[in-house]
PDB file of all heavy atoms in Angstrom:
ATOM      1  N   GLU X   1       0.834  -1.214   0.005  1.00  0.00           N
ATOM      2  CA  GLU X   1       0.000   0.003   0.018  1.00  0.00           C
ATOM      3  C   GLU X   1       0.861   1.248   0.001  1.00  0.00           C
ATOM      4  O   GLU X   1       0.583   2.225  -0.715  1.00  0.00           O
ATOM      5  CB  GLU X   1      -0.934  -0.001   1.232  1.00  0.00           C
ATOM      6  CG  GLU X   1      -2.130  -0.967   1.020  1.00  0.00           C
ATOM      7  CD  GLU X   1      -3.001  -1.056   2.259  1.00  0.00           C
ATOM      8  OE1 GLU X   1      -2.574  -0.604   3.366  1.00  0.00           O
ATOM      9  OE2 GLU X   1      -4.124  -1.607   2.141  1.00  0.00           O
ATOM     10  N   ALA X   2       1.928   1.222   0.794  1.00  0.00           N
ATOM     11  CA  ALA X   2       2.836   2.378   0.855  1.00  0.00           C
ATOM     12  C   ALA X   2       3.506   2.613  -0.503  1.00  0.00           C
ATOM     13  O   ALA X   2       3.593   3.763  -0.988  1.00  0.00           O
ATOM     14  CB  ALA X   2       3.902   2.159   1.925  1.00  0.00           C
ATOM     15  N   LEU X   3       3.905   1.530  -1.134  1.00  0.00           N
ATOM     16  CA  LEU X   3       4.536   1.643  -2.462  1.00  0.00           C
ATOM     17  C   LEU X   3       3.555   2.222  -3.487  1.00  0.00           C
ATOM     18  O   LEU X   3       3.919   3.094  -4.271  1.00  0.00           O
ATOM     19  CB  LEU X   3       5.054   0.259  -2.948  1.00  0.00           C
ATOM     20  CG  LEU X   3       5.709   0.232  -4.318  1.00  0.00           C
ATOM     21  CD1 LEU X   3       6.935   1.140  -4.391  1.00  0.00           C
ATOM     22  CD2 LEU X   3       6.098  -1.176  -4.710  1.00  0.00           C
ATOM     23  N   LEU X   4       2.297   1.735  -3.444  1.00  0.00           N
ATOM     24  CA  LEU X   4       1.308   2.245  -4.391  1.00  0.00           C
ATOM     25  C   LEU X   4       1.056   3.735  -4.198  1.00  0.00           C
ATOM     26  O   LEU X   4       0.884   4.497  -5.164  1.00  0.00           O
ATOM     27  CB  LEU X   4      -0.005   1.441  -4.284  1.00  0.00           C
ATOM     28  CG  LEU X   4      -1.053   1.747  -5.354  1.00  0.00           C
ATOM     29  CD1 LEU X   4      -0.532   1.401  -6.751  1.00  0.00           C
ATOM     30  CD2 LEU X   4      -2.344   0.980  -5.104  1.00  0.00           C
ATOM     31  N   GLN X   5       1.037   4.161  -2.945  1.00  0.00           N
ATOM     32  CA  GLN X   5       0.829   5.608  -2.657  1.00  0.00           C
ATOM     33  C   GLN X   5       1.955   6.429  -3.302  1.00  0.00           C
ATOM     34  O   GLN X   5       1.723   7.432  -3.934  1.00  0.00           O
ATOM     35  CB  GLN X   5       0.836   5.884  -1.150  1.00  0.00           C
ATOM     36  CG  GLN X   5      -0.522   5.684  -0.515  1.00  0.00           C
ATOM     37  CD  GLN X   5      -0.521   5.982   0.986  1.00  0.00           C
ATOM     38  OE1 GLN X   5       0.528   6.289   1.555  1.00  0.00           O
ATOM     39  NE2 GLN X   5      -1.684   5.869   1.599  1.00  0.00           N
ATOM     40  N   VAL X   6       3.199   5.950  -3.142  1.00  0.00           N
ATOM     41  CA  VAL X   6       4.361   6.658  -3.697  1.00  0.00           C
ATOM     42  C   VAL X   6       4.306   6.643  -5.226  1.00  0.00           C
ATOM     43  O   VAL X   6       4.499   7.684  -5.866  1.00  0.00           O
ATOM     44  CB  VAL X   6       5.689   6.024  -3.197  1.00  0.00           C
ATOM     45  CG1 VAL X   6       6.890   6.678  -3.891  1.00  0.00           C
ATOM     46  CG2 VAL X   6       5.824   6.198  -1.668  1.00  0.00           C
ATOM     47  N   THR X   7       4.029   5.473  -5.826  1.00  0.00           N
ATOM     48  CA  THR X   7       4.036   5.376  -7.291  1.00  0.00           C
ATOM     49  C   THR X   7       2.899   6.202  -7.883  1.00  0.00           C
ATOM     50  O   THR X   7       3.045   6.740  -8.954  1.00  0.00           O
ATOM     51  CB  THR X   7       3.956   3.922  -7.756  1.00  0.00           C
ATOM     52  OG1 THR X   7       2.746   3.319  -7.297  1.00  0.00           O
ATOM     53  CG2 THR X   7       5.166   3.113  -7.286  1.00  0.00           C
ATOM     54  N   GLU X   8       1.756   6.283  -7.193  1.00  0.00           N
ATOM     55  CA  GLU X   8       0.655   7.098  -7.659  1.00  0.00           C
ATOM     56  C   GLU X   8       1.062   8.561  -7.672  1.00  0.00           C
ATOM     57  O   GLU X   8       0.810   9.291  -8.633  1.00  0.00           O
ATOM     58  CB  GLU X   8      -0.580   6.937  -6.736  1.00  0.00           C
ATOM     59  CG  GLU X   8      -1.386   5.708  -7.074  1.00  0.00           C
ATOM     60  CD  GLU X   8      -1.949   5.747  -8.502  1.00  0.00           C
ATOM     61  OE1 GLU X   8      -2.820   6.565  -8.817  1.00  0.00           O
ATOM     62  OE2 GLU X   8      -1.432   4.960  -9.331  1.00  0.00           O
ATOM     63  N   SER X   9       1.717   8.993  -6.616  1.00  0.00           N
ATOM     64  CA  SER X   9       2.119  10.434  -6.516  1.00  0.00           C
ATOM     65  C   SER X   9       3.152  10.772  -7.597  1.00  0.00           C
ATOM     66  O   SER X   9       3.266  11.924  -7.986  1.00  0.00           O
ATOM     67  CB  SER X   9       2.686  10.756  -5.131  1.00  0.00           C
ATOM     68  OG  SER X   9       3.910  10.095  -4.939  1.00  0.00           O
ATOM     69  N   ARG X  10       3.868   9.747  -8.071  1.00  0.00           N
ATOM     70  CA  ARG X  10       4.885  10.000  -9.109  1.00  0.00           C
ATOM     71  C   ARG X  10       4.419   9.551 -10.518  1.00  0.00           C
ATOM     72  O   ARG X  10       5.229   9.541 -11.440  1.00  0.00           O
ATOM     73  CB  ARG X  10       6.180   9.225  -8.754  1.00  0.00           C
ATOM     74  CG  ARG X  10       6.778   9.672  -7.447  1.00  0.00           C
ATOM     75  CD  ARG X  10       8.055   8.919  -7.138  1.00  0.00           C
ATOM     76  NE  ARG X  10       8.585   9.300  -5.818  1.00  0.00           N
ATOM     77  CZ  ARG X  10       9.677   8.765  -5.283  1.00  0.00           C
ATOM     78  NH1 ARG X  10      10.365   7.854  -5.951  1.00  0.00           N
ATOM     79  NH2 ARG X  10      10.100   9.167  -4.103  1.00  0.00           N
ATOM     80  N   SER X  11       3.147   9.141 -10.593  1.00  0.00           N
ATOM     81  CA  SER X  11       2.584   8.661 -11.897  1.00  0.00           C
ATOM     82  C   SER X  11       3.406   7.568 -12.531  1.00  0.00           C
ATOM     83  O   SER X  11       3.690   7.598 -13.714  1.00  0.00           O
ATOM     84  CB  SER X  11       2.428   9.841 -12.875  1.00  0.00           C
ATOM     85  OG  SER X  11       1.675  10.876 -12.337  1.00  0.00           O
ATOM     86  N   GLU X  12       3.821   6.613 -11.705  1.00  0.00           N
ATOM     87  CA  GLU X  12       4.667   5.545 -12.248  1.00  0.00           C
ATOM     88  C   GLU X  12       4.151   4.147 -11.851  1.00  0.00           C
ATOM     89  O   GLU X  12       4.877   3.152 -11.901  1.00  0.00           O
ATOM     90  CB  GLU X  12       6.109   5.718 -11.776  1.00  0.00           C
ATOM     91  CG  GLU X  12       6.289   5.703 -10.294  1.00  0.00           C
ATOM     92  CD  GLU X  12       7.702   5.993  -9.778  1.00  0.00           C
ATOM     93  OE1 GLU X  12       8.498   6.668 -10.502  1.00  0.00           O
ATOM     94  OE2 GLU X  12       8.017   5.578  -8.657  1.00  0.00           O
ATOM     95  N   SER X  13       2.865   4.073 -11.467  1.00  0.00           N
ATOM     96  CA  SER X  13       2.300   2.788 -10.980  1.00  0.00           C
ATOM     97  C   SER X  13       2.375   1.691 -12.041  1.00  0.00           C
ATOM     98  O   SER X  13       2.703   0.554 -11.740  1.00  0.00           O
ATOM     99  CB  SER X  13       0.884   2.965 -10.492  1.00  0.00           C
ATOM    100  OG  SER X  13       0.844   3.846  -9.387  1.00  0.00           O
ATOM    101  N   GLU X  14       2.060   2.061 -13.295  1.00  0.00           N
ATOM    102  CA  GLU X  14       2.069   1.041 -14.368  1.00  0.00           C
ATOM    103  C   GLU X  14       3.486   0.531 -14.581  1.00  0.00           C
ATOM    104  O   GLU X  14       3.727  -0.669 -14.747  1.00  0.00           O
ATOM    105  CB  GLU X  14       1.508   1.634 -15.641  1.00  0.00           C
ATOM    106  CG  GLU X  14       1.305   0.618 -16.752  1.00  0.00           C
ATOM    107  CD  GLU X  14       0.714   1.185 -18.039  1.00  0.00           C
ATOM    108  OE1 GLU X  14       0.429   2.402 -18.057  1.00  0.00           O
ATOM    109  OE2 GLU X  14       0.648   0.433 -18.993  1.00  0.00           O
ATOM    110  N   THR X  15       4.451   1.426 -14.599  1.00  0.00           N
ATOM    111  CA  THR X  15       5.864   1.082 -14.772  1.00  0.00           C
ATOM    112  C   THR X  15       6.297   0.141 -13.658  1.00  0.00           C
ATOM    113  O   THR X  15       6.935  -0.901 -13.913  1.00  0.00           O
ATOM    114  CB  THR X  15       6.744   2.351 -14.750  1.00  0.00           C
ATOM    115  OG1 THR X  15       6.264   3.230 -15.750  1.00  0.00           O
ATOM    116  CG2 THR X  15       8.198   2.022 -14.985  1.00  0.00           C
ATOM    117  N   VAL X  16       5.963   0.487 -12.434  1.00  0.00           N
ATOM    118  CA  VAL X  16       6.372  -0.321 -11.261  1.00  0.00           C
ATOM    119  C   VAL X  16       5.671  -1.698 -11.282  1.00  0.00           C
ATOM    120  O   VAL X  16       6.272  -2.696 -10.919  1.00  0.00           O
ATOM    121  CB  VAL X  16       6.146   0.448  -9.944  1.00  0.00           C
ATOM    122  CG1 VAL X  16       6.335  -0.460  -8.744  1.00  0.00           C
ATOM    123  CG2 VAL X  16       7.103   1.631  -9.874  1.00  0.00           C
ATOM    124  N   ALA X  17       4.427  -1.731 -11.737  1.00  0.00           N
ATOM    125  CA  ALA X  17       3.722  -3.024 -11.847  1.00  0.00           C
ATOM    126  C   ALA X  17       4.482  -3.954 -12.815  1.00  0.00           C
ATOM    127  O   ALA X  17       4.696  -5.142 -12.495  1.00  0.00           O
ATOM    128  CB  ALA X  17       2.282  -2.821 -12.360  1.00  0.00           C
ATOM    129  N   ASP X  18       4.956  -3.409 -13.941  1.00  0.00           N
ATOM    130  CA  ASP X  18       5.766  -4.199 -14.882  1.00  0.00           C
ATOM    131  C   ASP X  18       7.047  -4.678 -14.234  1.00  0.00           C
ATOM    132  O   ASP X  18       7.507  -5.815 -14.417  1.00  0.00           O
ATOM    133  CB  ASP X  18       6.088  -3.415 -16.144  1.00  0.00           C
ATOM    134  CG  ASP X  18       4.848  -3.297 -17.061  1.00  0.00           C
ATOM    135  OD1 ASP X  18       3.966  -4.124 -16.940  1.00  0.00           O
ATOM    136  OD2 ASP X  18       4.794  -2.316 -17.838  1.00  0.00           O
ATOM    137  N   GLN X  19       7.697  -3.759 -13.446  1.00  0.00           N
ATOM    138  CA  GLN X  19       8.941  -4.098 -12.809  1.00  0.00           C
ATOM    139  C   GLN X  19       8.734  -5.191 -11.742  1.00  0.00           C
ATOM    140  O   GLN X  19       9.573  -6.065 -11.566  1.00  0.00           O
ATOM    141  CB  GLN X  19       9.578  -2.851 -12.196  1.00  0.00           C
ATOM    142  CG  GLN X  19      10.081  -1.899 -13.289  1.00  0.00           C
ATOM    143  CD  GLN X  19      10.523  -0.540 -12.728  1.00  0.00           C
ATOM    144  OE1 GLN X  19      10.394  -0.261 -11.547  1.00  0.00           O
ATOM    145  NE2 GLN X  19      11.048   0.294 -13.597  1.00  0.00           N
ATOM    146  N   CYS X  20       7.597  -5.129 -11.039  1.00  0.00           N
ATOM    147  CA  CYS X  20       7.273  -6.158 -10.034  1.00  0.00           C
ATOM    148  C   CYS X  20       7.190  -7.526 -10.697  1.00  0.00           C
ATOM    149  O   CYS X  20       7.665  -8.519 -10.159  1.00  0.00           O
ATOM    150  CB  CYS X  20       5.943  -5.850  -9.337  1.00  0.00           C
ATOM    151  SG  CYS X  20       6.076  -4.553  -8.123  1.00  0.00           S
ATOM    152  N   LYS X  21       6.601  -7.599 -11.879  1.00  0.00           N
ATOM    153  CA  LYS X  21       6.483  -8.850 -12.615  1.00  0.00           C
ATOM    154  C   LYS X  21       7.854  -9.393 -12.974  1.00  0.00           C
ATOM    155  O   LYS X  21       8.145 -10.599 -12.849  1.00  0.00           O
ATOM    156  CB  LYS X  21       5.609  -8.683 -13.883  1.00  0.00           C
ATOM    157  CG  LYS X  21       4.168  -8.439 -13.538  1.00  0.00           C
ATOM    158  CD  LYS X  21       3.408  -8.006 -14.792  1.00  0.00           C
ATOM    159  CE  LYS X  21       2.025  -7.477 -14.408  1.00  0.00           C
ATOM    160  NZ  LYS X  21       1.309  -6.990 -15.568  1.00  0.00           N
ATOM    161  N   GLN X  22       8.714  -8.469 -13.456  1.00  0.00           N
ATOM    162  CA  GLN X  22      10.106  -8.876 -13.803  1.00  0.00           C
ATOM    163  C   GLN X  22      10.837  -9.395 -12.574  1.00  0.00           C
ATOM    164  O   GLN X  22      11.561 -10.422 -12.642  1.00  0.00           O
ATOM    165  CB  GLN X  22      10.834  -7.703 -14.448  1.00  0.00           C
ATOM    166  CG  GLN X  22      10.330  -7.420 -15.857  1.00  0.00           C
ATOM    167  CD  GLN X  22      10.676  -5.994 -16.320  1.00  0.00           C
ATOM    168  OE1 GLN X  22      11.510  -5.306 -15.705  1.00  0.00           O
ATOM    169  NE2 GLN X  22       9.998  -5.520 -17.353  1.00  0.00           N
ATOM    170  N   LEU X  23      10.677  -8.686 -11.449  1.00  0.00           N
ATOM    171  CA  LEU X  23      11.352  -9.111 -10.227  1.00  0.00           C
ATOM    172  C   LEU X  23      10.820 -10.458  -9.725  1.00  0.00           C
ATOM    173  O   LEU X  23      11.584 -11.270  -9.202  1.00  0.00           O
ATOM    174  CB  LEU X  23      11.191  -8.050  -9.116  1.00  0.00           C
ATOM    175  CG  LEU X  23      12.028  -6.777  -9.285  1.00  0.00           C
ATOM    176  CD1 LEU X  23      11.721  -5.808  -8.173  1.00  0.00           C
ATOM    177  CD2 LEU X  23      13.513  -7.060  -9.313  1.00  0.00           C
ATOM    178  N   LEU X  24       9.534 -10.700  -9.892  1.00  0.00           N
ATOM    179  CA  LEU X  24       8.955 -11.994  -9.501  1.00  0.00           C
ATOM    180  C   LEU X  24       9.588 -13.119 -10.311  1.00  0.00           C
ATOM    181  O   LEU X  24       9.880 -14.181  -9.780  1.00  0.00           O
ATOM    182  CB  LEU X  24       7.441 -11.988  -9.694  1.00  0.00           C
ATOM    183  CG  LEU X  24       6.625 -11.359  -8.604  1.00  0.00           C
ATOM    184  CD1 LEU X  24       5.195 -11.089  -9.036  1.00  0.00           C
ATOM    185  CD2 LEU X  24       6.633 -12.213  -7.329  1.00  0.00           C
ATOM    186  N   ASP X  25       9.814 -12.848 -11.602  1.00  0.00           N
ATOM    187  CA  ASP X  25      10.501 -13.841 -12.471  1.00  0.00           C
ATOM    188  C   ASP X  25      11.897 -14.120 -11.954  1.00  0.00           C
ATOM    189  O   ASP X  25      12.314 -15.277 -11.852  1.00  0.00           O
ATOM    190  CB  ASP X  25      10.569 -13.316 -13.905  1.00  0.00           C
ATOM    191  CG  ASP X  25       9.364 -13.735 -14.734  1.00  0.00           C
ATOM    192  OD1 ASP X  25       8.594 -14.577 -14.253  1.00  0.00           O
ATOM    193  OD2 ASP X  25       9.181 -13.196 -15.836  1.00  0.00           O
ATOM    194  N   VAL X  26      12.627 -13.055 -11.613  1.00  0.00           N
ATOM    195  CA  VAL X  26      14.001 -13.231 -11.096  1.00  0.00           C
ATOM    196  C   VAL X  26      13.942 -14.021  -9.779  1.00  0.00           C
ATOM    197  O   VAL X  26      14.702 -14.989  -9.583  1.00  0.00           O
ATOM    198  CB  VAL X  26      14.675 -11.859 -10.850  1.00  0.00           C
ATOM    199  CG1 VAL X  26      16.010 -12.018 -10.136  1.00  0.00           C
ATOM    200  CG2 VAL X  26      14.842 -11.092 -12.166  1.00  0.00           C
ATOM    201  N   TRP X  27      13.043 -13.631  -8.894  1.00  0.00           N
ATOM    202  CA  TRP X  27      12.905 -14.279  -7.603  1.00  0.00           C
ATOM    203  C   TRP X  27      12.594 -15.774  -7.750  1.00  0.00           C
ATOM    204  O   TRP X  27      13.163 -16.616  -7.052  1.00  0.00           O
ATOM    205  CB  TRP X  27      11.770 -13.592  -6.819  1.00  0.00           C
ATOM    206  CG  TRP X  27      11.490 -14.147  -5.439  1.00  0.00           C
ATOM    207  CD1 TRP X  27      10.464 -15.001  -5.097  1.00  0.00           C
ATOM    208  CD2 TRP X  27      12.201 -13.869  -4.247  1.00  0.00           C
ATOM    209  NE1 TRP X  27      10.506 -15.259  -3.759  1.00  0.00           N
ATOM    210  CE2 TRP X  27      11.553 -14.585  -3.208  1.00  0.00           C
ATOM    211  CE3 TRP X  27      13.305 -13.105  -3.941  1.00  0.00           C
ATOM    212  CZ2 TRP X  27      11.999 -14.515  -1.880  1.00  0.00           C
ATOM    213  CZ3 TRP X  27      13.746 -13.044  -2.607  1.00  0.00           C
ATOM    214  CH2 TRP X  27      13.103 -13.770  -1.618  1.00  0.00           C
ATOM    215  N   GLN X  28      11.717 -16.100  -8.692  1.00  0.00           N
ATOM    216  CA  GLN X  28      11.301 -17.477  -8.803  1.00  0.00           C
ATOM    217  C   GLN X  28      12.234 -18.354  -9.658  1.00  0.00           C
ATOM    218  O   GLN X  28      12.273 -19.552  -9.512  1.00  0.00           O
ATOM    219  CB  GLN X  28       9.859 -17.532  -9.359  1.00  0.00           C
ATOM    220  CG  GLN X  28       8.877 -17.229  -8.233  1.00  0.00           C
ATOM    221  CD  GLN X  28       7.692 -16.445  -8.625  1.00  0.00           C
ATOM    222  OE1 GLN X  28       7.389 -16.273  -9.806  1.00  0.00           O
ATOM    223  NE2 GLN X  28       6.988 -15.894  -7.656  1.00  0.00           N
ATOM    224  N   ASN X  29      13.043 -17.683 -10.503  1.00  0.00           N
ATOM    225  CA  ASN X  29      13.910 -18.469 -11.400  1.00  0.00           C
ATOM    226  C   ASN X  29      15.345 -18.477 -10.961  1.00  0.00           C
ATOM    227  O   ASN X  29      16.183 -19.187 -11.532  1.00  0.00           O
ATOM    228  CB  ASN X  29      13.784 -17.952 -12.836  1.00  0.00           C
ATOM    229  CG  ASN X  29      12.398 -18.180 -13.400  1.00  0.00           C
ATOM    230  OD1 ASN X  29      11.807 -19.209 -13.154  1.00  0.00           O
ATOM    231  ND2 ASN X  29      11.851 -17.207 -14.092  1.00  0.00           N
ATOM    232  N   SER X  30      15.689 -17.668  -9.926  1.00  0.00           N
ATOM    233  CA  SER X  30      17.076 -17.650  -9.494  1.00  0.00           C
ATOM    234  C   SER X  30      17.183 -18.011  -8.004  1.00  0.00           C
ATOM    235  O   SER X  30      16.964 -17.182  -7.123  1.00  0.00           O
ATOM    236  CB  SER X  30      17.700 -16.275  -9.725  1.00  0.00           C
ATOM    237  OG  SER X  30      18.985 -16.185  -9.075  1.00  0.00           O
ATOM    238  N   ALA X  31      17.482 -19.288  -7.787  1.00  0.00           N
ATOM    239  CA  ALA X  31      17.626 -19.760  -6.387  1.00  0.00           C
ATOM    240  C   ALA X  31      18.776 -19.004  -5.660  1.00  0.00           C
ATOM    241  O   ALA X  31      18.670 -18.735  -4.479  1.00  0.00           O
ATOM    242  CB  ALA X  31      17.886 -21.273  -6.395  1.00  0.00           C
ATOM    243  N   ASP X  32      19.825 -18.682  -6.406  1.00  0.00           N
ATOM    244  CA  ASP X  32      20.964 -17.990  -5.767  1.00  0.00           C
ATOM    245  C   ASP X  32      20.522 -16.641  -5.210  1.00  0.00           C
ATOM    246  O   ASP X  32      20.860 -16.281  -4.103  1.00  0.00           O
ATOM    247  CB  ASP X  32      22.103 -17.747  -6.818  1.00  0.00           C
ATOM    248  CG  ASP X  32      22.806 -19.053  -7.138  1.00  0.00           C
ATOM    249  OD1 ASP X  32      22.605 -20.043  -6.417  1.00  0.00           O
ATOM    250  OD2 ASP X  32      23.540 -19.084  -8.150  1.00  0.00           O
ATOM    251  N   PHE X  33      19.767 -15.872  -6.026  1.00  0.00           N
ATOM    252  CA  PHE X  33      19.280 -14.566  -5.610  1.00  0.00           C
ATOM    253  C   PHE X  33      18.358 -14.719  -4.419  1.00  0.00           C
ATOM    254  O   PHE X  33      18.492 -14.013  -3.407  1.00  0.00           O
ATOM    255  CB  PHE X  33      18.523 -13.894  -6.773  1.00  0.00           C
ATOM    256  CG  PHE X  33      17.919 -12.565  -6.422  1.00  0.00           C
ATOM    257  CD1 PHE X  33      18.712 -11.480  -6.069  1.00  0.00           C
ATOM    258  CD2 PHE X  33      16.537 -12.369  -6.463  1.00  0.00           C
ATOM    259  CE1 PHE X  33      18.137 -10.272  -5.752  1.00  0.00           C
ATOM    260  CE2 PHE X  33      15.961 -11.161  -6.134  1.00  0.00           C
ATOM    261  CZ  PHE X  33      16.766 -10.110  -5.775  1.00  0.00           C
TER     262      PHE X  33
END
């Protein structure tokens, strides 16, 4: 919720949503990370 508040105020919520998906891929595909 805090992140969404910040991204809304900076008009970057859509960008951050895409980045979250990319990070989820990294998280799930890289055991080392």
Side-chain angles (χ1 to χ4, degrees):
E1 284 176 345
L3 178 61
L4 188 61
Q5 275 182 357
V6 174
T7 61
E8 276 301 289
S9 69
R10 298 180 184 179
S11 304
E12 60 185 25
S13 297
E14 188 180 356
T15 303
V16 170
D18 285 337
Q19 291 172 355
C20 283
K21 290 169 192 177
Q22 288 158 16
L23 286 178
L24 278 166
D25 271 348
V26 173
W27 180 259
Q28 282 144 14
N29 295 319
S30 171
D32 289 346
F33 176 63

